[in-house]
Coordinates of all heavy atoms in Angstrom, one line a residue:
Q9 N 120.8 87.7 99.5 CA 119.6 88.1 99.2 C 118.9 87.0 98.2 O 119.4 86.7 97.1 CB 119.5 89.5 98.6 CG 118.2 89.9 98.2 CD 118.2 91.3 97.7 OE1 119.1 92.0 97.9 NE2 117.1 91.7 97.1
D10 N 117.7 86.5 98.5 CA 117.1 85.5 97.7 C 116.3 86.2 96.6 O 115.8 87.2 96.8 CB 116.2 84.6 98.6 CG 117.0 83.6 99.5 OD1 118.2 83.3 99.2 OD2 116.5 83.3 100.6
S11 N 116.3 85.4 95.5 CA 115.4 85.9 94.5 C 113.9 85.6 94.7 O 113.6 84.6 95.3 CB 115.7 85.1 93.1 OG 115.0 85.4 92.2
P12 N 113.0 86.5 94.4 CA 111.6 86.3 94.7 C 111.0 85.0 93.9 O 110.1 84.5 94.4 CB 110.9 87.6 94.3 CG 111.8 88.3 93.4 CD 113.2 87.8 93.8
L13 N 111.7 84.7 92.8 CA 111.2 83.6 92.0 C 112.4 82.6 91.9 O 113.6 83.0 91.6 CB 110.8 84.0 90.6 CG 109.5 84.8 90.4 CD1 109.3 85.2 89.0 CD2 108.3 84.0 91.0
K14 N 112.1 81.3 92.1 CA 113.1 80.3 91.9 C 113.3 80.1 90.4 O 112.4 80.4 89.6 CB 112.7 79.0 92.7 CG 112.5 79.3 94.0 CD 113.7 79.5 94.8 CE 113.4 79.6 96.4 NZ 114.3 80.5 97.0
A15 N 114.2 79.3 90.0 CA 114.6 79.0 88.7 C 113.4 78.3 87.9 O 113.1 78.7 86.8 CB 115.8 78.2 88.5
V16 N 112.8 77.3 88.6 CA 111.7 76.6 88.1 C 110.5 77.5 87.8 O 109.8 77.4 86.7 CB 111.3 75.3 89.0 CG1 110.2 74.6 88.3 CG2 112.5 74.3 88.9
Q17 N 110.2 78.3 88.8 CA 109.1 79.2 88.6 C 109.3 80.2 87.5 O 108.4 80.6 86.8 CB 108.9 80.0 89.9 CG 108.5 79.2 91.1 CD 108.5 79.9 92.4 OE1 109.3 80.8 92.7 NE2 107.6 79.6 93.3
M18 N 110.5 80.7 87.3 CA 110.8 81.5 86.1 C 110.6 80.8 84.9 O 110.2 81.5 83.9 CB 112.3 82.1 86.3 CG 112.5 83.1 87.5 SD 114.0 83.7 87.8 CE 114.6 84.4 86.2
L19 N 111.1 79.6 84.8 CA 110.8 78.9 83.6 C 109.3 78.7 83.2 O 109.0 78.7 82.1 CB 111.6 77.4 83.7 CG 113.0 77.4 83.7 CD1 113.5 76.1 84.0 CD2 113.5 77.8 82.3
W20 N 108.6 78.5 84.3 CA 107.0 78.3 84.1 C 106.5 79.7 83.6 O 105.6 79.7 82.7 CB 106.4 77.9 85.3 CG 106.4 76.4 85.5 CD1 107.0 75.6 86.3 CD2 105.6 75.5 84.7 NE1 106.8 74.3 86.1 CE2 105.9 74.2 85.1 CE3 104.6 75.6 83.7 CZ2 105.3 73.1 84.6 CZ3 104.0 74.5 83.2 CH2 104.4 73.2 83.6
V21 N 106.9 80.8 84.3 CA 106.4 82.1 83.8 C 106.8 82.3 82.4 O 106.1 82.8 81.5 CB 106.9 83.2 84.7 CG1 106.7 84.5 84.2 CG2 106.4 83.0 86.1
N22 N 108.1 82.0 81.9 CA 108.5 82.2 80.6 C 107.7 81.3 79.7 O 107.3 81.8 78.5 CB 110.1 81.9 80.6 CG 110.6 82.2 79.2 OD1 110.1 83.1 78.5 ND2 111.7 81.7 78.9
L23 N 107.5 80.1 80.0 CA 106.8 79.2 79.1 C 105.3 79.7 78.8 O 104.8 79.7 77.8 CB 106.7 77.8 79.8 CG 105.9 76.7 79.0 CD1 106.6 76.3 77.8 CD2 105.6 75.6 79.9
I24 N 104.7 80.1 80.0 CA 103.3 80.6 79.8 C 103.3 81.9 79.0 O 102.5 82.1 78.1 CB 102.7 80.9 81.2 CG1 102.5 79.4 81.9 CG2 101.4 81.6 81.1 CD1 102.2 79.6 83.3
M25 N 104.1 82.8 79.3 CA 104.1 84.0 78.5 C 104.4 83.9 77.0 O 103.9 84.4 76.1 CB 105.2 85.0 79.2 CG 104.9 85.5 80.5 SD 103.2 86.3 80.7 CE 103.4 87.8 79.9
D26 N 105.4 83.0 76.8 CA 105.8 82.7 75.4 C 104.6 82.0 74.6 O 104.4 82.1 73.4 CB 107.1 81.9 75.4 CG 108.3 82.7 75.6 OD1 108.1 84.0 75.7 OD2 109.4 82.2 75.7
T27 N 103.9 81.1 75.4 CA 102.8 80.4 74.7 C 101.7 81.3 74.3 O 101.2 81.2 73.2 CB 102.2 79.4 75.8 OG1 103.3 78.5 76.2 CG2 101.2 78.5 75.1
F28 N 101.3 82.3 75.1 CA 100.3 83.3 74.8 C 100.7 84.1 73.6 O 99.9 84.3 72.7 CB 99.9 84.0 76.0 CG 99.1 83.4 77.0 CD1 99.4 83.5 78.3 CD2 98.1 82.5 76.7 CE1 98.7 82.9 79.3 CE2 97.4 81.8 77.6 CZ 97.7 82.0 79.0
A29 N 102.0 84.5 73.6 CA 102.4 85.4 72.4 C 102.5 84.5 71.1 O 102.1 85.0 70.0 CB 103.9 85.8 72.7
S30 N 102.9 83.3 71.2 CA 103.0 82.5 69.9 C 101.6 82.1 69.5 O 101.4 82.0 68.3 CB 103.8 81.1 70.2 OG 103.2 80.4 71.2
L31 N 100.7 82.0 70.4 CA 99.2 81.6 70.0 C 98.7 82.8 69.4 O 97.9 82.8 68.3 CB 98.4 81.3 71.2 CG 98.5 79.8 71.7 CD1 97.8 79.7 73.0 CD2 98.1 78.8 70.6
A32 N 99.0 84.0 69.8 CA 98.5 85.2 69.2 C 99.1 85.4 67.8 O 98.3 85.8 66.9 CB 98.9 86.5 70.0
L33 N 100.3 85.0 67.6 CA 100.8 85.2 66.3 C 100.4 84.1 65.3 O 100.2 84.3 64.2 CB 102.4 85.2 66.4 CG 103.0 86.4 67.1 CD1 104.6 86.3 67.2 CD2 102.7 87.6 66.3
A34 N 100.3 82.9 65.8 CA 99.9 81.7 65.0 C 98.4 81.7 64.6 O 98.1 81.2 63.7 CB 100.2 80.5 65.8
T35 N 97.5 82.4 65.3 CA 96.1 82.3 65.0 C 95.7 83.2 64.0 O 94.6 83.2 63.4 CB 95.3 82.4 66.3 OG1 95.6 83.7 66.8 CG2 95.5 81.4 67.3
E36 N 96.5 84.3 63.7 CA 96.2 85.2 62.6 C 96.8 84.8 61.3 O 98.0 84.8 61.1 CB 96.7 86.7 63.1 CG 96.3 87.7 62.1 CD 96.6 89.1 62.7 OE1 96.9 89.2 63.8 OE2 96.8 90.0 61.7
P37 N 95.9 84.5 60.3 CA 96.4 84.1 59.1 C 97.1 85.2 58.3 O 96.7 86.3 58.4 CB 95.3 83.6 58.2 CG 94.0 84.3 58.9 CD 94.4 84.6 60.3
P38 N 98.2 84.9 57.6 CA 98.9 86.0 56.8 C 98.1 86.5 55.6 O 97.3 85.5 54.9 CB 100.2 85.3 56.4 CG 99.9 83.9 56.3 CD 98.8 83.7 57.5
T39 N 98.1 87.6 55.3 CA 97.3 88.2 54.2 C 98.2 87.9 52.9 O 99.4 87.7 52.9 CB 97.1 89.7 54.3 OG1 98.2 90.3 54.4 CG2 96.2 89.9 55.5
E40 N 97.5 88.0 51.8 CA 98.1 87.8 50.4 C 99.2 88.9 50.2 O 100.2 88.7 49.7 CB 97.1 87.6 49.3 CG 97.6 87.3 48.1 CD 98.2 85.9 48.0 OE1 97.6 85.0 48.9 OE2 99.1 85.5 47.3
A41 N 98.8 90.2 50.6 CA 99.6 91.2 50.4 C 100.9 91.2 51.1 O 102.0 91.5 50.7 CB 98.9 92.6 50.8
L42 N 100.8 90.6 52.4 CA 102.0 90.4 53.3 C 102.9 89.4 52.7 O 104.1 89.5 52.7 CB 101.6 90.0 54.7 CG 102.7 89.8 55.7 CD1 103.3 91.2 55.9 CD2 102.1 89.3 56.9
L43 N 102.3 88.3 52.2 CA 103.2 87.2 51.5 C 103.9 87.7 50.1 O 104.9 87.2 49.9 CB 102.4 86.1 51.3 CG 101.8 85.3 52.5 CD1 100.8 84.2 52.1 CD2 102.8 84.8 53.3
L44 N 103.2 88.6 49.4 CA 103.8 89.1 48.2 C 104.7 90.3 48.4 O 105.4 90.7 47.5 CB 102.7 89.5 47.2 CG 101.9 88.4 46.9 CD1 100.6 88.8 45.9 CD2 102.7 87.2 46.1
R45 N 104.7 90.7 49.6 CA 105.7 92.0 49.9 C 107.1 91.6 49.8 O 107.5 90.6 50.2 CB 105.4 92.6 51.3 CG 106.3 93.7 51.8 CD 105.9 94.1 53.2 NE 106.2 93.0 54.2 CZ 107.5 92.7 54.6 NH1 108.5 93.3 54.2 NH2 107.6 91.7 55.6
K46 N 107.9 92.5 49.2 CA 109.3 92.3 49.2 C 110.0 92.5 50.5 O 109.5 93.3 51.3 CB 110.0 93.3 48.1 CG 109.5 93.2 46.7 CD 110.6 93.2 45.7 CE 110.1 93.2 44.4 NZ 110.2 92.0 43.6
P47 N 111.0 91.7 50.7 CA 111.7 91.9 52.1 C 112.3 93.3 52.2 O 112.7 93.9 51.3 CB 112.8 90.8 52.0 CG 112.7 90.1 50.7 CD 111.7 90.7 50.0
Y48 N 112.4 93.7 53.4 CA 113.1 94.9 53.8 C 114.5 94.8 53.5 O 115.2 93.7 53.7 CB 112.8 95.4 55.2 CG 111.4 95.7 55.5 CD1 110.6 95.1 56.4 CD2 110.7 96.8 54.8 CE1 109.3 95.4 56.6 CE2 109.4 97.1 55.0 CZ 108.9 96.3 56.0 OH 107.4 96.7 56.2
G49 N 115.2 95.9 53.2 CA 116.6 96.0 53.0 C 117.5 95.8 54.2 O 116.9 95.9 55.3
R50 N 118.7 95.3 54.1 CA 119.6 95.0 55.1 C 119.8 96.3 56.0 O 120.0 96.2 57.2 CB 120.8 94.4 54.6 CG 121.8 94.0 55.6 CD 123.1 93.3 55.1 NE 122.6 92.1 54.3 CZ 123.3 91.1 54.4 NH1 124.5 91.1 54.9 NH2 122.9 90.0 53.8
N51 N 119.9 97.4 55.4 CA 120.2 98.6 56.0 C 119.0 99.4 56.6 O 119.2 100.5 57.1 CB 121.1 99.5 55.1 CG 122.3 99.0 54.7 OD1 123.0 98.2 55.5 ND2 122.8 99.1 53.5
K52 N 117.8 98.8 56.4 CA 116.6 99.6 56.9 C 116.5 99.5 58.5 O 117.0 98.5 59.0 CB 115.4 98.9 56.2 CG 115.2 99.2 54.8 CD 114.6 100.4 54.6 CE 114.3 100.5 53.1 NZ 113.6 101.8 52.8
P53 N 116.1 100.5 59.1 CA 116.0 100.5 60.5 C 114.9 99.4 61.0 O 113.8 99.2 60.2 CB 115.6 101.9 60.9 CG 115.0 102.5 59.7 CD 115.6 101.7 58.5
L54 N 115.1 98.9 62.1 CA 114.2 98.0 62.7 C 112.9 98.7 63.2 O 111.9 98.0 63.1 CB 114.8 97.1 63.8 CG 115.9 96.1 63.4 CD1 116.4 95.4 64.6 CD2 115.2 95.0 62.5
I55 N 113.1 99.8 63.8 CA 112.1 100.6 64.3 C 111.8 101.8 63.4 O 112.6 102.6 63.2 CB 112.5 101.1 65.7 CG1 112.7 99.9 66.6 CG2 111.3 101.9 66.3 CD1 113.2 100.2 68.0
S56 N 110.5 101.8 62.9 CA 110.2 103.0 62.0 C 109.8 104.2 62.8 O 109.9 104.1 64.0 CB 108.9 102.5 61.1 OG 107.9 102.4 62.0
R57 N 109.7 105.3 62.1 CA 109.5 106.5 62.7 C 108.1 106.5 63.5 O 108.0 107.0 64.6 CB 109.4 107.7 61.7 CG 109.2 109.0 62.2 CD 109.3 110.1 61.1 NE 110.6 110.1 60.5 CZ 111.6 111.0 60.7 NH1 111.4 111.7 61.9 NH2 112.8 110.9 60.2
T58 N 107.1 105.9 62.8 CA 105.9 105.8 63.5 C 105.9 104.9 64.8 O 105.4 105.2 65.9 CB 104.8 105.2 62.6 OG1 104.8 105.9 61.5 CG2 103.5 105.0 63.2
M59 N 106.6 103.8 64.8 CA 106.9 103.0 66.0 C 107.6 103.8 67.0 O 107.2 103.6 68.2 CB 107.7 101.8 65.6 CG 107.0 100.7 64.8 SD 108.0 99.4 64.1 CE 108.6 98.6 65.5
M60 N 108.6 104.6 66.7 CA 109.4 105.3 67.7 C 108.5 106.4 68.3 O 108.5 106.6 69.5 CB 110.5 106.0 66.9 CG 111.5 106.8 68.0 SD 112.1 105.8 69.3 CE 113.2 104.8 68.4
K61 N 107.6 107.0 67.5 CA 106.6 108.1 68.1 C 105.7 107.3 69.1 O 105.5 107.8 70.2 CB 105.8 108.7 66.9 CG 106.5 109.6 66.2 CD 105.6 110.2 65.1 CE 106.4 111.1 64.1 NZ 105.5 111.6 63.0
N62 N 105.2 106.2 68.7 CA 104.2 105.4 69.6 C 105.0 105.0 70.9 O 104.5 105.1 72.0 CB 103.8 104.1 68.9 CG 102.7 104.6 67.9 OD1 102.1 105.6 67.9 ND2 102.5 103.7 66.9
I63 N 106.2 104.5 70.7 CA 107.0 104.1 72.0 C 107.3 105.3 72.9 O 107.1 105.1 74.1 CB 108.4 103.4 71.5 CG1 108.1 102.1 70.8 CG2 109.3 103.3 72.7 CD1 109.3 101.5 70.1
L64 N 107.7 106.4 72.3 CA 108.1 107.5 73.1 C 106.7 108.2 73.8 O 106.8 108.6 74.9 CB 108.8 108.6 72.3 CG 110.3 108.1 71.9 CD1 110.8 109.3 70.9 CD2 111.1 107.9 73.1
G65 N 105.7 108.1 73.1 CA 104.4 108.6 73.5 C 103.9 107.8 74.7 O 103.4 108.3 75.7
H66 N 104.0 106.5 74.6 CA 103.6 105.6 75.6 C 104.5 105.7 76.8 O 104.0 105.7 78.0 CB 103.5 104.2 75.1 CG 102.7 103.1 75.9 ND1 101.4 103.3 76.1 CD2 103.2 102.3 76.9 CE1 101.0 102.4 77.0 NE2 102.2 101.7 77.5
A67 N 105.8 105.9 76.7 CA 106.6 106.0 77.8 C 106.3 107.3 78.5 O 106.4 107.4 79.7 CB 108.1 106.1 77.3
A68 N 106.1 108.5 77.8 CA 105.8 109.7 78.4 C 104.4 109.6 79.2 O 104.3 110.0 80.3 CB 105.6 110.8 77.3
Y69 N 103.5 108.8 78.6 CA 102.3 108.7 79.3 C 102.5 107.9 80.6 O 101.9 108.2 81.7 CB 101.3 107.9 78.4 CG 100.0 107.4 79.0 CD1 99.0 108.3 79.3 CD2 99.9 106.1 79.5 CE1 97.8 107.9 79.9 CE2 98.7 105.6 79.9 CZ 97.7 106.5 80.3 OH 96.5 106.1 80.9
Q70 N 103.2 106.8 80.5 CA 103.5 106.0 81.8 C 104.3 106.8 82.8 O 104.0 106.8 84.0 CB 104.3 104.8 81.4 CG 103.5 103.7 80.8 CD 104.3 102.4 80.5 OE1 105.5 102.4 80.9 NE2 103.6 101.5 79.8
L71 N 105.2 107.6 82.4 CA 105.9 108.5 83.3 C 105.0 109.5 84.0 O 105.1 109.6 85.2 CB 107.1 109.2 82.7 CG 108.2 108.4 82.4 CD1 109.2 109.2 81.5 CD2 109.0 107.9 83.6
V72 N 104.1 110.0 83.3 CA 103.2 111.0 83.9 C 102.3 110.3 84.9 O 102.0 110.8 86.1 CB 102.2 111.6 82.8 CG1 101.1 112.3 83.4 CG2 103.1 112.6 82.0
I73 N 101.8 109.1 84.6 CA 100.9 108.3 85.5 C 101.7 107.9 86.8 O 101.2 108.2 87.9 CB 100.3 107.1 84.8 CG1 99.4 107.5 83.7 CG2 99.6 106.2 85.8 CD1 98.2 108.3 84.2
I74 N 102.9 107.4 86.6 CA 103.7 107.0 87.7 C 104.1 108.2 88.7 O 104.0 108.1 89.8 CB 105.1 106.3 87.2 CG1 104.7 104.9 86.6 CG2 106.0 106.1 88.3 CD1 104.1 103.9 87.6
F75 N 104.5 109.3 88.1 CA 104.8 110.4 88.9 C 103.7 111.1 89.5 O 103.8 111.5 90.7 CB 105.6 111.5 88.1 CG 107.0 111.0 87.9 CD1 107.6 111.2 86.5 CD2 107.9 110.7 88.9 CE1 108.9 110.8 86.4 CE2 109.1 110.4 88.7 CZ 109.8 110.4 87.4
T76 N 102.5 110.9 89.0 CA 101.3 111.4 89.6 C 101.0 110.6 90.8 O 100.6 111.1 91.9 CB 100.1 111.4 88.5 OG1 100.4 112.3 87.4 CG2 98.8 112.0 89.2
L77 N 101.0 109.3 90.6 CA 100.8 108.4 91.7 C 101.8 108.6 92.8 O 101.4 108.5 93.9 CB 100.7 106.9 91.2 CG 99.5 106.6 90.3 CD1 99.8 105.1 89.8 CD2 98.3 106.7 91.0
L78 N 103.0 108.8 92.5 CA 104.1 108.9 93.5 C 103.8 110.2 94.3 O 103.8 110.3 95.5 CB 105.4 109.0 92.8 CG 106.6 109.2 93.8 CD1 106.7 108.0 94.8 CD2 107.8 109.4 93.0
F79 N 103.3 111.3 93.6 CA 103.2 112.6 94.2 C 101.9 112.5 95.1 O 102.0 113.1 96.2 CB 102.8 113.6 93.1 CG 102.6 115.0 93.7 CD1 103.6 115.9 94.3 CD2 101.3 115.5 93.7 CE1 103.3 117.0 94.8 CE2 101.0 116.7 94.2 CZ 102.1 117.5 94.8
V80 N 100.9 111.8 94.7 CA 99.7 111.7 95.6 C 100.0 110.9 96.8 O 99.7 111.2 97.9 CB 98.5 111.1 94.8 CG1 97.4 110.6 95.6 CG2 98.1 112.0 93.8
A81 N 100.8 109.8 96.7 CA 101.2 109.0 97.8 C 102.1 109.7 98.7 O 102.0 109.6 100.0 CB 102.0 107.7 97.3
L82 N 103.0 110.5 98.3 CA 103.9 111.4 99.2 C 103.0 112.4 99.8 O 103.2 112.7 101.0 CB 105.0 112.0 98.3 CG 106.0 111.1 97.9 CD1 107.1 111.9 97.0 CD2 106.7 110.5 99.1
Q83 N 102.0 113.1 99.1 CA 101.1 114.1 99.8 C 100.3 113.4 100.9 O 100.2 114.0 102.0 CB 100.3 114.7 98.8 CG 101.0 115.6 97.8 CD 101.7 116.7 98.5 OE1 101.2 117.3 99.4 NE2 102.9 116.9 98.2
R84 N 99.8 112.2 100.8 CA 99.1 111.5 101.7 C 99.9 111.1 102.9 O 99.5 111.2 104.1 CB 98.5 110.2 101.2 CG 97.2 110.3 100.4 CD 96.8 109.0 100.0 NE 95.4 109.2 99.6 CZ 94.5 108.1 99.6 NH1 94.9 106.9 99.8 NH2 93.4 108.3 99.2
D85 N 101.2 110.7 102.7 CA 102.1 110.4 103.8 C 102.4 111.6 104.6 O 102.7 111.4 105.8 CB 103.3 109.8 103.1 CG 104.0 108.9 104.2 OD1 103.4 108.3 104.9 OD2 105.3 108.8 104.2
Q86 N 102.4 112.8 104.1 CA 102.8 114.0 104.8 C 101.6 114.7 105.7 O 101.8 115.6 106.4 CB 103.4 115.1 103.9 CG 104.7 114.6 103.3 CD 105.3 115.6 102.3 OE1 104.6 116.7 102.0 NE2 106.4 115.3 101.8
R87 N 100.4 114.2 105.5 CA 99.3 114.7 106.3 C 99.5 114.5 107.7 O 100.0 113.4 108.1 CB 98.0 114.1 105.7 CG 97.3 114.8 104.6 CD 96.0 114.4 104.3 NE 96.0 113.3 103.4 CZ 95.0 112.4 103.3 NH1 93.9 112.6 103.9 NH2 95.1 111.5 102.4
P88 N 98.9 115.3 108.6 CA 99.1 115.1 109.9 C 98.2 113.9 110.4 O 97.2 113.6 109.9 CB 98.6 116.3 110.7 CG 97.9 117.1 109.6 CD 98.4 116.7 108.3
Q89 N 98.9 113.0 111.2 CA 98.1 111.8 111.6 C 97.5 112.0 112.9 O 97.8 112.8 113.7 CB 99.2 110.7 111.8 CG 99.9 110.3 110.5 CD 99.0 109.6 109.5 OE1 98.0 108.9 109.9 NE2 99.2 109.9 108.3
D90 N 96.4 111.2 113.2 CA 95.6 111.2 114.4 C 96.6 110.6 115.4 O 96.9 109.4 115.3 CB 94.3 110.6 114.3 CG 93.4 110.7 115.5 OD1 93.8 111.5 116.4 OD2 92.5 109.9 115.6
P91 N 96.9 111.4 116.6 CA 97.8 110.8 117.6 C 97.1 109.6 118.3 O 97.9 108.6 118.7 CB 98.1 111.9 118.6 CG 97.1 113.0 118.2 CD 96.5 112.7 116.9
R92 N 95.9 109.5 118.4 CA 95.2 108.4 119.0 C 95.4 107.1 118.1 O 95.4 106.0 118.7 CB 93.7 108.6 119.2 CG 93.4 109.7 120.3 CD 91.9 110.0 120.4 NE 91.7 110.7 119.1 CZ 90.4 111.1 118.7 NH1 89.4 110.9 119.5 NH2 90.2 111.6 117.5
R93 N 95.5 107.3 116.8 CA 95.6 106.2 115.9 C 97.0 105.5 116.1 O 97.2 104.3 116.2 CB 95.4 106.6 114.6 CG 95.5 105.4 113.5 CD 95.1 105.8 112.1 NE 95.3 104.5 111.3 CZ 95.9 104.5 110.3 NH1 96.5 105.7 109.8 NH2 96.1 103.4 109.5
E94 N 98.0 106.4 116.3 CA 99.4 105.9 116.6 C 99.5 105.1 117.8 O 100.3 104.1 117.9 CB 100.3 107.0 116.5 CG 100.5 107.6 115.0 CD 101.5 108.8 115.1 OE1 102.2 108.9 116.0 OE2 101.6 109.5 114.0
E95 N 98.7 105.5 118.8 CA 98.8 104.8 120.2 C 98.3 103.5 120.0 O 98.7 102.4 120.6 CB 98.1 105.5 121.2 CG 98.7 106.8 121.6 CD 97.7 107.7 122.6 OE1 96.7 107.2 122.9 OE2 98.1 108.7 122.9
R96 N 97.3 103.2 119.2 CA 96.6 101.9 118.9 C 97.6 100.9 118.2 O 97.5 99.8 118.4 CB 95.3 102.0 118.3 CG 94.2 102.7 119.2 CD 93.0 102.6 118.4 NE 92.8 104.0 117.7 CZ 92.0 104.3 116.7 NH1 91.4 103.3 116.2 NH2 92.1 105.5 116.2
L97 N 98.5 101.5 117.5 CA 99.4 100.6 116.6 C 100.5 100.2 117.5 O 100.9 99.4 117.9 CB 99.9 101.4 115.4 CG 98.9 101.9 114.4 CD1 99.6 102.7 113.3 CD2 98.2 100.7 113.8

């Protein structure tokens, strides 16, 4: 089974995506408060409670949308078809 993207295409996609992300990070100047903030401790979690709530909330939202679209697609597929249309195909 062939991959839909060749190795060189994947490298170009990676380059473009990383470029946009780095430009977004590089164009926003750091604030003075951010520069003076003490570093987080070694044992502090990487994902805060607020971040976890946002991640789980967004995941739930996406699941609802995906399952709704899937349900609608399955309902459309089960409708009786016009027999004349099948003859033309």
Side-chain angles (χ1 to χ4, degrees):
Q9 180 177 345
D10 288 334
S11 173
L13 292 176
K14 304 291 182 207
V16 174
Q17 292 172 326
M18 289 175 58
L19 288 172
W20 274 106
V21 169
N22 189 19
L23 177 70
I24 291 169
M25 296 301 290
D26 288 349
T27 302
F28 289 137
S30 61
L31 282 175
L33 291 173
T35 55
E36 186 175 337
T39 61
E40 192 67 29
L42 184 63
L43 294 173
L44 295 175
R45 175 184 62 80
K46 296 229 186 258
Y48 292 121
R50 184 178 292 217
N51 297 327
K52 292 279 188 173
L54 290 175
I55 300 175
S56 67
R57 184 177 296 269
T58 305
M59 288 170 61
M60 185 58 72
K61 287 179 188 176
N62 287 335
I63 291 169
L64 292 176
H66 195 74
Y69 172 75
Q70 286 185 4
L71 284 173
V72 167
I73 296 298
I74 290 293
F75 283 130
T76 301
L77 291 173
L78 180 64
F79 179 74
V80 168
L82 288 176
Q83 292 300 316
R84 279 185 162 198
D85 201 32
Q86 291 177 359
R87 275 195 269 162
Q89 298 290 327
D90 185 12
R92 292 175 292 179
R93 182 170 181 235
E94 290 179 10
E95 290 174 4
R96 285 183 268 159
L97 298 176

